[in-house]
Amino acid sequence: MVLHQKDSVRSTLLNDVYASTDLGIQVPKYRFPQKEQRPRDIYQIVHDELMLDGNSRQNLATFCQTWLEPEIARLMDECLDKNMIDKDEYPQTAEIEARCVHMLADLWNSPEAANTLGCSTTGSSEAAMLGGLAMKWRWRERRKAAGKPVDKPNLVCGPVQVCWHKFARYWDVELREIPMERDRLILSAEEAVARCDENTIGVVPTLGVTFTCQYEPVAAVCAALDTLQAQTGLDIPVHVDGASGGFLAPFVEPDLAWDFRLERVKSINASGHKFGLAPLGVGWVVWREAAELPEDLIFRVNYLGGDMPTFALNFSRPGGQIIAQYYNFLRLGREGYRKVHQACYDTAAYLGQALGKMGPFTVIYDGRGGIPAVTWSLAEGGRHNFTLYDLSDRLRSRGWQVPAYSMPANCQDMVVMRALVRHGFSRDLADLLVTDLGRCLAHFDKNPVTRPLEHTEAGGYSHA
Ligand SMILES: Cc1ncc(COP(=O)(O)O)c(C=O)c1O
């Protein structure tokens, strides 16, 4: 090689990343790239682009974990190459998944905790699908055995997360969703039972409703279904969507009977990546007893070696989240989970108080009787020179992501803001948020939105 060429190779190798030829051009965005490029340069490009995402710790919209102990990052790294579905190749990961299932069955008071069935999933959505499918299968078995038609299954629930709408549509089940009313933002036992009939595959109360964060009254629903059974013979099972509450109530409200202590509760789903404190990508579904999960929903494959029973919508999936969940169970135990969550509830109550004192807001919920979170609306009757949508937008200028949204049917005219208080949202951060909210209000005082909206008696908005 001639000397001047050697020099150019040298300078390419030594180039500062931003002085490299790779970063001197725009990378293709929607065309498949022709050429290969240096890993270091491309890493920088991708890394830099991700800066434009919001800061996850300031995302108070999500129920999912955004702060994790460094040991979890290490375990996730160590498991990067492990496929949890290869149970024969990674038998310890499979064993750890099984341990988590039984630990959860124990936490949720299954009478058969050591022998019952359950599995990990990608989150509560997949877990809800599996719980719903098992209910549909069991209902169909009963109907077929009685020689009755099986073409009109329905599911009764309160205002549910979209995963139940998906379940109903994908698996052809009529969703009988009880609409909210201004004085009842969650399901009531009476409303639930009134919608049940011989085609009801199950009732799904939510422990921590997505819109308001409140717990639905699982025990009252079970009692009302007991009465229904005594009167009509209809034996309708309950599946609890404990996406958030399944990892909160057992630690913070251990006396609240919402789980397998109630005989009618046949299955429960929860998100490991929400208040289970695991990294994104893990949920759980557990049945009260093995007999509740119909055998013909379980597939057995042998092409990875061994006999592998699976009940899942996916096949390949990373194993790290399951390992991280197990780490949390051992690391925190009941004691540690209680402390972490109690700190969040205390901060939610503190934030609720501060918001209540600011003037324009009515705090609807401050973490009592549900998930650690605060939900608020604009005070009724006041003349406000901004909407909650404006406030949400304004808060973004400081990086905070606090959603404003309208409630579902029948309260679509009710607009609220909601802030989740998760592991890692300290009292100090709550104070900083309150200061920023104060700044926003001062801004709107000086710069009212051009067409101020008046909050009407009915709680809706009209242009003043
Ligand atoms: C009550 C409820 N159910 C189910 C889900 C879906 O959970 P995942 O995001 O774990 O799939 C959520 C998510 O927020 C939820 O709040």
Side-chain angles (χ1 to χ4, degrees):
M1 193 182 280
V2 289
L3 197 56
H4 75 274
Q5 278 175 333
K6 259 194 182 164
D7 277 350
S8 89
V9 169
R10 182 169 175 274
S11 88
T12 307
L13 289 174
L14 292 180
N15 266 348
D16 173 275
V17 65
Y18 291 99
S20 69
T21 43
D22 285 348
L23 268 79
I25 53 157
Q26 284 169 348
V27 291
K29 300 284 192 301
Y30 300 104
R31 252 181 323 106
F32 202 89
Q34 258 330 316
K35 296 226 166 101
E36 59 185 343
Q37 312 216 48
R38 286 201 310 174
R40 192 179 68 144
D41 298 347
I42 295 307
Y43 170 82
Q44 199 64 46
I45 285 178
V46 176
H47 174 89
D48 288 357
E49 181 155 2
L50 288 175
M51 283 191 315
L52 303 187
D53 273 340
N55 170 8
S56 65
R57 297 280 303 282
Q58 283 183 286
N59 174 4
L60 304 185
T62 184
F63 296 75
C64 294
Q65 280 315 302
T66 49
W67 186 86
L68 298 150
E69 288 189 331
E71 287 77 6
I72 289 188
R74 275 175 60 194
L75 284 169
M76 289 292 284
D77 231 27
E78 289 164 24
C79 294
L80 206 55
D81 52 355
K82 287 196 195 178
N83 189 344
M84 59 71 71
I85 203 75
D86 294 344
K87 297 186 197 284
D88 226 43
E89 287 74 2
Y90 309 119
Q92 281 326 108
T93 296
E95 163 64 17
I96 285 172
E97 181 189 14
R99 286 182 203 162
C100 288
V101 166
H102 295 296
M103 285 185 183
L104 283 174
D106 176 45
L107 185 71
W108 296 335
N109 296 295
S110 159
E112 289 285 328
N115 299 313
T116 194
L117 294 175
C119 57
S120 71
T121 58
T122 51
S124 273
S125 300
E126 187 188 2
M129 302 283 157
L130 301 182
L133 276 175
M135 282 195 285
K136 184 176 173 184
W137 253 241
R138 297 262 300 146
W139 167 82
R140 205 163 51 186
E141 278 168 5
R142 287 195 300 274
R143 298 281 291 171
K144 279 187 179 158
K148 302 229 174 111
V150 293
D151 57 337
K152 288 199 167 60
N154 69 67
L155 181 86
V156 174
C157 58
V160 274
Q161 208 261 357
V162 67
C163 68
W164 291 102
H165 292 256
K166 289 185 185 170
F167 166 74
R169 198 174 302 168
Y170 295 169
W171 275 282
D172 232 353
V173 173
E174 180 199 348
L175 195 69
R176 296 188 175 168
E177 191 175 11
I178 302 160
M180 281 183 177
E181 300 301 338
R182 284 203 154 259
D183 56 352
R184 181 186 49 71
L185 299 175
I186 52 175
L187 145 168
S188 74
E190 300 71 43
E191 295 286 340
V193 169
R195 284 166 179 76
C196 290
D197 59 27
E198 59 176 9
N199 287 316
T200 304
I201 65 170
V203 177
V204 177
T206 301
L207 207 67
V209 171
T210 314
F211 307 98
T212 57
C213 298
Q214 294 159 298
Y215 289 164
E216 291 191 321
V218 186
V221 168
C222 290
L225 288 171
D226 289 346
T227 308
L228 182 76
Q229 184 174 3
Q231 288 166 350
T232 64
L234 287 179
D235 183 6
I236 299 177
V238 165
H239 170 98
V240 180
D241 180 349
S244 294
F247 277 109
L248 289 162
F251 306 117
V252 180
E253 287 181 81
D255 295 333
L256 182 73
W258 63 275
D259 54 12
F260 296 128
R261 277 170 285 184
L262 304 168
E263 222 180 309
R264 201 166 280 279
V265 174
K266 305 297 184 200
S267 46
I268 296 172
N269 70 270
S271 299
H273 54 214
K274 295 195 173 94
F275 293 89
L277 309 179
L280 274 170
V282 66
W284 301 94
V285 56
V286 176
W287 282 269
R288 173 188 185 77
E289 291 159 320
E292 297 296 336
L293 178 58
E295 179 63 25
D296 66 342
L297 280 175
I298 302 173
F299 287 80
R300 293 178 191 279
V301 299
N302 60 9
Y303 44 75
L304 295 169
D307 173 45
M308 196 185 77
T310 76
F311 179 35
L313 301 182
N314 304 287
F315 196 65
S316 296
R317 190 149 60 76
Q321 287 86 343
I322 296 166
I323 303 301
Q325 183 79 84
Y326 181 63
Y327 164 84
N328 274 331
F329 288 177
L330 296 185
R331 148 86 178 94
L332 293 169
R334 288 176 196 255
E335 182 190 23
Y337 269 103
R338 187 187 54 72
K339 284 193 205 154
V340 168
H341 294 331
Q342 190 57 55
C344 294
Y345 280 107
D346 294 345
T347 301
Y350 175 80
L351 186 59
Q353 259 183 11
L355 276 156
K357 283 188 205 144
M358 295 187 97
F361 308 124
T362 299
V363 175
I364 298 171
Y365 172 79
D366 68 354
R368 264 170 277 212
I371 303 172
V374 186
T375 310
W376 66 96
S377 63
L378 282 178
E380 287 198 13
R383 279 179 68 86
H384 303 290
N385 50 18
F386 64 96
T387 67
L388 291 183
Y389 296 109
D390 297 318
L391 180 58
S392 174
D393 204 40
R394 185 84 204 148
L395 272 176
R396 280 211 169 221
S397 64
R398 291 279 291 171
W400 298 110
Q401 298 172 58
V402 188
Y405 55 94
S406 62
M407 292 289 197
N410 287 335
C411 292
Q412 294 97 327
D413 61 346
M414 192 174 169
V415 177
V416 299
M417 257 175 123
R418 184 195 66 197
L420 264 297
V421 178
R422 300 185 307 270
H423 195 196
F425 186 72
S426 61
R427 194 66 68 93
D428 210 57
L429 280 174
D431 265 335
L432 293 172
L433 173 66
V434 170
T435 307
D436 283 338
L437 277 162
R439 278 201 187 107
C440 293
L441 297 187
H443 170 85
F444 290 128
D445 278 344
K446 280 201 198 120
N447 309 279
V449 287
T450 42
R451 295 180 67 209
L453 295 174
E454 188 166 3
H455 207 237
T456 63
E457 277 299 293
Y461 292 94
S462 64
H463 284 286

